[in-house]
Amino acid sequence: MKTLRKTTNIFIGISIIIVIWQLTTMLFDFEEALLPPPLMVAEGIVSLIADGTFFEHLKVSMYRFLVGYLSAVIVAVLLGLLLGRMTKLWDIFDPIVQLLRPVAPIAWSPFIVLWFGIGSAPAIVIIFIAAFFPVLLSTVSGVKKVDGTYLKLARNLEIKQPQLMTKIIFPAAFPAIANGLHIGLGTAWIFLVSGEMVGAQSGLGYLIVDARNLLRLDLVLAGIIFIGVCGLLLDKAIRLFERWIEKQWGIVPND
């Protein structure tokens, strides 16, 4: 019943957007070159899927994203678990992290290209940077907020490392870590697409730029829709992973 209600709400929301979109093109008499109507964009979506163009660019973007994002998550979680427990060491690193965190990953692109060359490597590094800081900060925050009762109980039961980290600290900090995974995913996906729009010759971002150069705004909007849908599905995948972890630990998620 809950799934049906969610599906119905999604359908209603999409329908409202399409109706507003269609009415806008009709009432304001936009030319198709300025604002393609929904049907024209739908035909563009079908054509990109039918000739394989969408899947070709999606494959490249997903490879870059998964390598960069997963690498950032692994490094950030491991480092966050350690620094969250080492308060004095974190006090030294925290100002450095706070200094680097606001800098957009794209700002590092001149150095990244010089250091890593051209191709997929620069995009992967940009994704790594974009995802690393949200996951690191969320992990450190989660570790610091672990209930002291758990730690006292672990000491009473003489639970030592690495069991203390894997059985007590990590599960207790996981809700905060999961929040960082969602934030990092959104940030990394945004910068992947923007990076591909600037200096790549493949990927979903490049697909939009190429369509713009051809003055095919229907394909530009089709690419934007593809990016939004893929980002939504990736976020849903993280939520499924989060639910699976919670089930393994016997935690009932609050729906």
Side-chain angles (χ1 to χ4, degrees):
M1 189 66 181
K2 186 179 293 185
T3 302
L4 178 61
R5 185 169 66 251
K6 288 183 178 180
T7 304
T8 302
N9 290 337
I10 291 173
F11 177 77
I12 293 173
I14 293 175
S15 299
I16 291 173
I17 293 175
I18 293 176
V19 169
I20 294 175
W21 181 1
Q22 181 65 47
L23 289 176
T24 301
T25 59
M26 294 172 60
L27 295 177
F28 295 95
D29 196 25
F30 279 109
E31 296 182 8
E32 291 184 350
L34 297 178
L35 181 62
L39 181 59
M40 184 177 179
V41 175
E43 291 173 350
I45 291 174
V46 172
S47 67
L48 289 174
I49 293 176
D51 63 13
T53 301
F54 164 66
F55 297 105
E56 178 183 346
H57 290 290
L58 176 65
K59 180 174 66 175
V60 175
S61 291
M62 290 304 299
Y63 165 75
R64 292 167 177 164
F65 176 80
L66 290 176
V67 173
Y69 178 73
L70 294 178
S71 300
V73 167
I74 293 171
V75 174
V77 169
L78 292 177
L79 195 58
L81 290 173
L82 293 175
L83 292 176
R85 293 287 293 164
M86 301 176 180
T87 305
K88 293 183 179 179
L89 187 59
W90 174 245
D91 289 340
I92 296 174
F93 277 95
D94 184 41
I96 300 174
V97 172
Q98 298 302 334
L99 177 66
L100 296 176
R101 181 176 61 89
V103 179
I106 293 295
W108 296 103
S109 57
F111 296 101
I112 292 173
V113 171
L114 289 174
W115 295 339
F116 296 95
I118 59 175
S120 293
I124 291 172
V125 175
I126 289 174
I127 296 164
F128 181 95
I129 296 172
F132 176 78
F133 290 109
V135 178
L136 175 66
L137 291 172
S138 296
T139 303
V140 172
S141 176
V143 172
K144 285 179 172 292
K145 293 179 180 178
V146 171
D147 193 335
T149 305
Y150 298 152
L151 302 178
K152 290 179 182 179
L153 179 61
R155 283 197 297 268
N156 292 337
L157 296 176
E158 296 183 353
I159 299 177
K160 305 296 183 181
Q161 297 289 6
Q163 287 77 17
L164 177 63
M165 186 67 75
T166 57
K167 301 295 185 181
I168 304 295
I169 296 176
F170 182 65
F174 183 74
I177 296 174
N179 185 55
L181 294 179
H182 289 290
I183 298 173
L185 184 143
T187 306
W189 186 249
I190 290 171
F191 280 105
L192 163 68
V193 174
S194 60
E196 289 178 340
M197 293 179 69
V198 174
Q201 297 298 314
S202 58
L204 295 176
Y206 173 76
L207 174 64
I208 291 178
V209 173
D210 188 48
R212 181 202 63 187
N213 293 338
L214 295 173
L215 300 179
R216 290 290 306 275
L217 292 192
D218 57 326
L219 298 185
V220 171
L221 285 173
I224 291 172
I225 293 172
F226 284 141
I227 289 169
V229 170
C230 290
L232 175 62
L233 293 177
L234 286 169
D235 187 73
K236 293 295 183 183
I238 292 293
R239 293 191 183 278
L240 289 175
F241 171 73
E242 182 182 351
R243 299 285 179 85
W244 180 79
I245 291 291
E246 289 172 338
K247 287 181 180 179
Q248 299 303 308
W249 290 334
I251 304 173
V252 180
N254 296 322
D255 291 326

